[in-house]
Amino acid sequence: MVKAKKFILSRHFVGFPQPGDLQLIEEELRPLKDGEFLAQALYLSVDPYMRKYANTIPLQSTMVGTQVAKIVDSKNDKFPVGKFVAAPFGWRTFTISNGEPAARGVPVLLLPDMGDLPLSLAIGVLGMPGNSAYFGFLEILHPQAGETIAISGAAGAVGSHVGQIAKIKGLKVIGIAGSDEKGRFLTKDLGFDHFINYKTEDISQTLQEIAPEGVDLYFDNVGGEVSDAVLTNMKDFGRVSACGSISGYNDAKPQGPLIQPTMVAKQLKMQGFQNVGWRHRWSESFEQNLEWIKEGKLKYKETVTEGFENMFNAFTEMLQGGNTGKAIVKV
C-alpha cells in the first residue's frame, strides 16, 4: 500500500499564516479503481492566491495548490504510466485521480514533451502564472505598441512574465518591487525600462520623472498604497488589470486608500480577472509562451525550496516577497 504525506488545514488563517494552521499527516491510499491513476508529486507550487483561497475551504481539507506529478500506476488509458501531469492536487505527495477537473473546474493536464525544459515550468511560465500573465495582460488591457505600463509585484512569477510580454509587444515597461537586487533582475536580465523600489523610493515622484506624460496601463498584483500611487499617475482613460492584492491578504480588515476619486477624475477602466475564466484557451497560452521561450524572448527564474516538509516555509517566504520569479518546492 502507498502512503501519502499531505498538509491539511487545521485552522483558517488569521493574519499572517502560522505553523499550527497546517498539519503534516500521512494517509494510506486504497487500491486503484478502473479509470483511475496514481500520481507522485515532483514539484509543487506556492502562490499568493493560496492565502485567500484557503479560508474558503473546510477545515481538515488538503491545502490547495497545483503540482507537477509523474504517473506511477494507472487503470486509465488516457493517463499512462510514465507520463506527467500538471494538476490541482494540493499539498500532497501521492494522489489518486480519475483525470476529471477538480476545484474551480481546474483541469488535470497531461503534459506534452517539453524537451530539455524543466518540468517545473508547467506550474510556472507554462502554467497558472503564465496563463494569468498572458490573458490578464492581453485580454484585459488590450495593449498598443508605444504605451507605458507599470507593474506591481513585478519580480514575482506573474509580474515578471507580464513585463516581458509587454516588451515583446513594444511597450515601455516600469516594474515595481521591493529590493534593488530584484530591480537588477528586471532591468538587466528581463529588459524592463525602469525599476522602482517601493521600500526606498517615492513611487509617485519617480513615476512623474520617468513617465511625465502619465502611465497608460497598470497591471496590479498588490493593491494598497502602491496602487494608489500608480493610479494617481495614470493618463485619463487609463486601463487597469487587477490580478491580486497581496498587500492586504494578511490583514483581517485590509486598510487602503480610496481609489474611487482617482478613477472618477481620470475616467479609468479597471477589471479584475481569474485565469480560470480562460481555461478553454490554456493550450493557446502554453503554446505561445513555449514558443517565446524557445525564441529567447521569454526568460524565467525559479526560487526552489527542497523538501516536501518545507512547503509551509516556502509559502510564508513567498508571501513576504522572498522569491524572485516562480516559487516552487521540489519534493
Side-chain angles (χ1 to χ4, degrees):
M1 300 294 288
V2 174
K3 287 188 176 181
K5 294 180 180 179
K6 65 178 183 178
F7 282 90
I8 62 172
L9 192 65
S10 298
R11 61 187 178 220
H12 289 125
F13 302 137
V14 176
F16 196 78
Q18 301 299 313
D21 296 338
L22 297 174
Q23 181 182 1
L24 178 58
I25 65 172
E26 281 192 352
E27 69 171 347
E28 193 172 90
L29 300 183
R30 58 170 173 77
L32 292 180
K33 300 177 182 178
D34 288 340
E36 295 181 332
F37 63 89
L38 177 66
Q40 181 178 8
L42 302 178
Y43 300 96
L44 294 103
S45 178
V46 287
D47 302 285
Y49 81 87
M50 296 175 178
R51 168 60 185 81
K52 293 287 285 185
Y53 191 71
N55 281 8
T56 69
I57 65 175
L59 295 179
Q60 308 307 310
S61 298
T62 303
M63 180 60 179
V64 297
T66 56
Q67 60 175 254
V68 172
K70 182 177 182 179
I71 299 172
V72 294
D73 194 6
S74 181
K75 291 186 176 182
N76 186 325
D77 293 340
K78 295 180 180 179
F79 295 91
V81 172
K83 294 292 187 178
F84 300 92
V85 294
F89 292 156
W91 292 16
R92 53 184 303 126
T93 55
F94 287 91
T95 303
I96 293 174
S97 172
N98 61 7
E100 294 298 318
R104 298 188 299 162
V106 178
V108 176
L109 299 176
L110 191 65
L111 297 183
D113 183 4
M114 294 172 56
D116 296 332
L117 293 174
L119 288 169
S120 55
L121 297 190
I123 50 174
V125 292
L126 300 177
M128 183 274 288
N131 294 329
S132 296
Y134 184 86
F135 295 110
F137 174 59
L138 296 174
E139 296 291 333
I140 302 297
L141 293 180
H142 304 289
Q144 302 296 318
E147 291 185 315
T148 297
I149 183 172
I151 304 166
S152 58
V158 177
S160 60
H161 195 143
V162 170
Q164 292 183 84
I165 301 178
K167 291 303 298 181
I168 292 171
K169 297 298 183 180
L171 278 72
K172 176 180 177 180
V173 180
I174 303 169
I176 304 170
S179 75
D180 290 340
E181 180 182 1
K182 291 181 177 181
R184 287 188 290 272
F185 166 66
L186 295 176
T187 56
K188 302 299 183 184
D189 295 345
L190 303 188
F192 282 39
D193 297 283
H194 297 282
F195 161 70
I196 302 174
N197 186 333
Y198 72 86
K199 293 182 179 179
T200 60
E201 298 180 71
D202 184 309
I203 297 174
S204 184
Q205 179 179 331
T206 306
L207 282 174
Q208 292 170 29
E209 295 170 357
I210 62 180
E213 296 181 358
V215 173
D216 298 283
L217 311 176
Y218 178 38
F219 193 96
D220 186 11
N221 288 301
V222 304
E225 294 181 355
V226 170
S227 292
D228 182 53
V230 176
L231 293 175
T232 56
N233 284 278
M234 293 191 72
K235 294 180 181 178
D236 288 353
F237 304 102
R239 290 106 69 200
V240 182
S241 179
C243 181
S245 55
I246 193 172
S247 67
Y249 284 172
N250 296 309
D251 298 333
K253 293 183 178 180
Q255 301 295 316
L258 293 175
I259 65 172
Q260 288 87 345
T262 301
M263 291 191 68
V264 171
K266 292 182 174 288
Q267 303 181 74
L268 304 178
K269 180 179 180 180
M270 176 184 286
Q271 182 175 338
F273 75 94
Q274 295 184 355
N275 68 79
V276 292
W278 285 275
R279 55 180 173 268
H280 61 292
R281 291 175 56 191
W282 279 0
S283 60
E284 171 192 333
S285 173
F286 186 102
E287 291 168 6
Q288 180 60 81
N289 285 322
L290 180 60
E291 181 180 341
W292 281 331
I293 291 173
K294 291 179 177 179
E295 293 174 346
K297 296 178 179 179
L298 181 61
K299 300 179 181 179
Y300 58 87
K301 186 175 181 63
E302 297 177 325
T303 298
V304 182
T305 300
E306 298 274 352
F308 181 75
E309 67 280 1
N310 293 317
M311 286 289 299
F312 182 79
N313 291 338
F315 175 55
T316 53
E317 287 175 9
M318 176 274 304
L319 289 176
Q320 294 174 310
N323 62 297
T324 300
K326 183 72 187 78
I328 63 171
V329 175
K330 182 179 180 181
V331 179

